[in-house]
Amino acid sequence: MKRLLLIHGAELIAMALLGSIPLFISNPYVLALLTLLAIYGILLIGLDVTVGFLGQVNLGHVAFLGLGAYAAGLMVTRFGFGMIPALLAAMAVGFILGALLALPSLRLEGPQFALATLSFAALSTTALNELEGLTGGAQGLSLTRPPWFGRELTPPGFYWLCLAMLVLVWVLMRNVLASHWGRAFEALRDSPIATDAMGVGTYRHKVAAFALGSGLGGLAGGLYAFNFQYLQPQSFTYDLMVILLLGVVLGGRKSLWGALVGATLVVLLPNLLSNHTLFRIFAGVGFLVMVVTGVQGLIRKRLRPFQALAPIVAMGMLVLGGFVVENTENWRKAIFSLMLFSVVVGLPEGLMGFLSEFLTQAFKVPPVPLPEPATLDSVLPVRIPEDSPILVLEDLKRYFGGVKAVDGLSITIRAGSIHGLIGPNGSGKSTVVNVISGLYLPTAGRVLLRGKPLPLGSLVKVAKAGVARTFQNLQLFGELTALENVMVALRGVYHSPLPLVLLGLAYKEEQKARAEALTLLELVGLREEARTKAKDLTYGAQRFLEIGRALARKPEILILDEPAAGLAHPDVLKQIEVIQRIQQRGMTIILIEHHMDVVSELCDVVSVLDGGRLIAEGSPETIKRDPKVVEAYLGQPQPPTGGISPLEPLTA
Ligand code: ADP
Ligand code: MG
């Protein structure tokens, strides 16, 4: 309660303050700055969706601002529409073109995606420039602001309109970003593979996020058009884009407040550059912030000496420049570069990241309250497994070039059993898992689930068919908390359609999701770590979290790829217990495991692979004595000796 009061209170106060300024200050210049602040606020919230939440370098956002502005301008000048339809059109243009750009480009990663968005930006400015008949080309497009419900808007009136839009966008975005949509955006940034494997379509969410962000860019463009009432294609070029990125990064990614702080910076930058005193103060403050964070980072061993020093030097150069350089405007690009560099290196979480840590401590903001866990029976009801095969691999093959990683494998897995899959390193175990779970297409062969072919080659489809897996090389969503990691994967809880989520009316299912996720964390022994970010968990805890997250799929079949790898002995024992508890729910488990004692303890049947082929199958006791198995592990026939487990590879 206190938490909500503090957070929403701060929002209310900020917005009320912003809204009341025109009542006290009638300076038109201040009002113009405030109006721009509201518009850029919307623009940066949109940019933050792709840059912050999706973690993509988006260099095309400025194009959506421009296209939105022109769309609104043309709606008014050419077609005589009013302001509301024009703004809706601006948003729609951003949304649709954003989706169209995202469809092909979001398959791209990193630099390629950045280039695709950059080309889109170049293309749209050129088009705006060259389509003279429509846009007026380089001459520009003049428009007059249409009346608002029959009345001319005064400057404060227009400002309040923009602010109201910002508040609306703020509230809707806060709701959607705090929902399973927002978590999916962040999950796919941290691990697209795991996002897919948890049945949350990466591609679908990427396109949705990009369209959403671009739609906000378009809306901001519409307001921009009505604010300046004159548009030129040159306004929407790379220069502005760099400033926008600077705004998001400096303000703080993944934060609405950060977007607002960033927008303030973007609005004030021109003044900073033209006013010597202001510039010196700004550079001085920046320098101090870098010194503080640098020293702090060194003490907490978060930064290496050079990482701490470089931003201080960069900001120092800015301070120096403030006294030496006559005309700071001429140096604007150099100044932006220095600032961007300092922030990226020295303040990666941005100003809001820096401030929020400080503010949470100062105001003693209590952590997110957690509900009581749901009962385990309601989350994972006990299934009575039928006495029949559940999964059948039929002559499965997977080659990588000349490497026959899996070479004609036929295995039958009985419902409700723990089926061990063992074999020396490189014998093809992980490849089998990757084929079953849809990460790789098989070269040949079939996998049948309850007699029906699994839709191979698609992680999402296999996940939806009821198969969940963990990864040998952990694939957690590092920036999300343990609880959120599980919530991303949770099946059968999120039913509310997007409009309800936007309006914040999906509160009940969020509570339910939290309660269920807590139950699963408790099952794997991580309830106390619910609020810890996955990347900050111990290695052992991360292994357990992957199991908890896979269970959130409430799967019929759970595939664990070396879940005990690298675990300390007490953790191995704990894991055995956890796996037994999971089996008691009637779940079928495929377990890849190196420790023979774990295999003996847990498995009903064990299949032994070597060179991608099945060399033995049976109960743990029989395969342990099988000479072929011993040979595969040791390279020569040798009876198992007491003490050393024959199935531990000697080199491991
Ligand atoms: P295991 O999990 O039993 O240790 P893997 O399934 O990881 O074995 O690997 C089996 C063989 O397939 C190894 O020779 C490995 O080098 C090869 N392999 C696995 N994945 C790939 C891949 N993506 N590309 C090329 N070769 C691969
Ligand atoms: Mg492996």
Side-chain angles (χ1 to χ4, degrees):
M1 197 60 200
K2 179 179 175 199
R3 176 187 165 80
L4 284 185
L5 274 182
L6 279 173
I7 291 176
H8 292 318
E11 287 176 346
L12 271 177
I13 291 171
M15 294 304 164
L17 261 178
L18 280 176
S20 58
I21 292 178
L23 302 177
F24 309 114
I25 300 174
S26 56
N27 182 339
Y29 183 66
V30 172
L31 199 61
L33 286 186
L34 284 173
T35 312
L36 259 190
L37 173 66
I39 297 174
Y40 281 140
I42 297 174
L43 185 66
L44 290 194
I45 289 177
L47 182 58
D48 194 30
V49 177
T50 38
V51 173
F53 282 82
L54 283 191
Q56 301 274 354
V57 182
N58 174 4
L59 301 177
H61 202 59
V62 71
F64 296 106
L65 178 74
L67 292 167
Y70 270 90
L74 293 175
M75 283 288 280
V76 171
T77 52
R78 304 275 149 161
F79 308 110
F81 278 102
M83 209 164 345
I84 295 177
L87 287 176
L88 286 177
M91 192 155 74
V93 163
F95 189 84
I96 293 168
L97 289 179
L100 287 180
L101 172 64
L103 279 172
S105 352
L106 277 176
R107 291 258 187 236
L108 311 173
E109 289 294 327
Q112 281 132 327
F113 176 76
L115 278 181
T117 54
L118 186 63
S119 340
F120 177 76
L123 185 71
S124 44
T125 7
T126 314
L128 292 177
N129 227 332
E130 297 305 321
L131 294 174
E132 277 179 37
L134 189 66
T135 64
Q139 291 294 315
L141 179 75
S142 295
L143 59 138
T144 36
R145 190 151 67 208
W148 178 258
F149 292 106
R151 280 203 289 159
E152 286 297 321
L153 276 183
T154 55
F158 182 67
Y159 164 60
W160 280 320
L161 173 66
C162 293
L163 189 65
M165 292 280 178
L166 173 65
V167 171
L168 188 69
V169 165
W170 182 292
V171 172
L172 298 184
M173 288 306 281
R174 189 188 54 208
N175 290 338
V176 85
L177 292 175
S179 75
H180 61 101
W181 284 88
R183 285 193 296 272
F185 296 163
E186 290 203 68
L188 67 90
R189 176 200 59 214
D190 290 348
S191 169
I193 290 182
T195 310
D196 272 337
M198 293 304 129
V200 183
T202 296
Y203 192 50
R204 188 166 74 102
H205 282 91
K206 262 186 170 180
V207 172
F210 198 78
L212 192 66
S214 307
L216 292 183
L219 174 64
L223 293 171
Y224 180 101
F226 295 132
N227 182 44
F228 291 106
Q229 304 183 47
Y230 176 67
L231 301 173
Q232 268 190 314
Q234 302 87 288
S235 315
F236 310 106
T237 50
Y238 191 66
D239 272 15
L240 180 58
M241 192 62 224
V242 174
I243 299 179
L244 296 183
L245 282 176
L246 178 66
V248 166
V249 180
L250 182 74
R253 283 167 297 141
K254 295 193 294 168
S255 147
L256 297 169
W257 283 102
L260 197 63
V261 172
T264 314
L265 176 91
V266 172
V267 170
L268 291 181
L269 260 184
N271 301 288
L272 281 179
L273 293 179
S274 55
N275 183 327
H276 254 107
T277 328
L278 220 56
F279 182 77
R280 284 174 198 160
I281 295 176
F282 175 79
V285 170
F287 181 73
L288 284 181
V289 169
M290 287 305 163
V291 170
V292 171
T293 54
V295 171
Q296 212 181 35
L298 279 180
I299 292 173
R300 294 192 195 168
K301 298 209 182 336
R302 232 179 3 203
L303 299 176
R304 289 159 180 276
F306 259 109
Q307 278 176 307
L309 197 62
I312 297 176
V313 171
M315 288 315 271
M317 280 162 72
L318 220 56
V319 175
L320 206 67
F323 288 94
V324 177
V325 171
E326 271 299 307
N327 185 346
T328 25
E329 300 240 15
N330 293 345
W331 287 78
R332 46 186 284 147
K333 283 187 188 163
I335 291 169
F336 294 162
S337 314
L338 278 177
M339 284 167 57
L340 198 53
F341 171 80
S342 320
V343 173
V344 170
V345 179
L347 208 62
E349 302 293 320
L351 276 179
M352 266 329 283
F354 174 66
L355 278 180
S356 69
E357 194 182 323
F358 170 77
L359 289 177
T360 353
Q361 280 167 9
F363 283 96
K364 301 208 169 44
V365 180
V368 199
L370 295 175
E372 274 300 299
T375 59
L376 187 56
D377 282 331
S378 69
V379 183
L380 288 178
V382 176
R383 262 182 242 146
I384 309 294
E386 61 234 67
D387 189 27
S388 61
I390 187 165
L391 194 75
V392 178
L393 316 186
E394 280 183 359
D395 199 21
L396 205 61
K397 292 185 180 145
R398 170 70 211 207
Y399 301 162
F400 296 102
V403 180
K404 298 182 172 177
V406 176
D407 192 19
L409 197 60
S410 299
I411 296 179
T412 298
I413 289 152
R414 300 191 67 78
S417 66
I418 299 185
H419 194 118
L421 207 54
I422 67 171
N425 272 329
S427 57
K429 306 178 298 289
S430 291
T431 307
V432 173
V433 174
N434 287 336
V435 170
I436 298 176
S437 63
L439 184 60
Y440 297 155
L441 270 171
T443 310
R446 292 201 302 170
V447 181
L448 303 175
L449 175 68
R450 292 188 188 294
K452 288 201 208 106
L454 255 189
L456 293 180
S458 159
L459 283 166
V460 180
K461 283 185 190 160
V462 172
K464 292 204 163 142
V467 180
R469 65 167 293 183
T470 64
F471 292 85
Q472 181 175 355
N473 307 309
L474 291 164
Q475 289 278 350
L476 287 167
F477 311 129
E479 293 289 325
L480 296 181
T481 63
L483 189 75
E484 288 165 336
N485 266 271
V486 178
M487 286 171 78
V488 167
L490 210 54
R491 188 170 66 87
V493 177
Y494 310 114
H495 301 297
S496 303
L498 186 57
L500 286 191
V501 173
L502 280 167
L503 294 173
L505 296 178
Y507 178 77
K508 276 229 174 91
E509 68 181 30
E510 272 293 299
Q511 264 319 76
K512 182 159 181 248
R514 268 190 221 117
E516 291 202 1
L518 263 182
T519 310
L520 293 173
L521 284 182
E522 189 157 43
L523 179 66
V524 297
L526 286 178
R527 185 173 170 189
E528 299 308 312
E529 304 289 350
R531 297 192 186 95
T532 313
K533 280 189 181 183
K535 65 169 187 184
D536 297 330
L537 290 172
T538 61
Y539 175 78
Q542 290 181 343
R543 285 252 168 235
F544 281 98
L545 180 55
E546 274 230 346
I547 299 177
R549 186 181 63 179
L551 285 176
R553 295 294 308 159
K554 304 168 187 172
E556 285 191 79
I557 301 179
L558 176 67
I559 311 180
L560 304 172
D561 193 351
E562 299 207 19
L567 290 191
H569 191 63
D571 275 346
V572 175
L573 297 183
K574 201 172 112 192
Q575 195 173 73
I576 292 178
E577 219 181 283
V578 168
I579 294 175
Q580 278 166 341
R581 254 183 281 160
I582 298 170
Q583 188 196 21
Q584 283 157 14
R585 315 304 300 174
M587 209 174 281
T588 311
I589 299 170
I590 300 176
L591 176 68
I592 299 183
E593 186 50 77
H594 256 321
H595 303 76
M596 193 52 203
D597 33 358
V598 179
V599 173
S600 301
E601 178 86 30
L602 286 174
C603 294
D604 303 302
V605 188
V606 182
S607 302
V608 189
L609 303 194
D610 192 24
R613 298 177 146 273
L614 189 66
I615 57 164
E617 194 167 65
S619 72
E621 290 317 307
T622 43
I623 61 109
K624 242 201 270 188
R625 279 188 283 275
D626 191 318
K628 270 195 282 183
V629 176
V630 178
E631 185 186 340
Y633 271 91
L634 299 177
Q636 53 186 6
Q638 203 179 64
T641 44
I644 302 169
S645 152
L647 292 183
E648 276 290 7
L650 284 180
T651 48

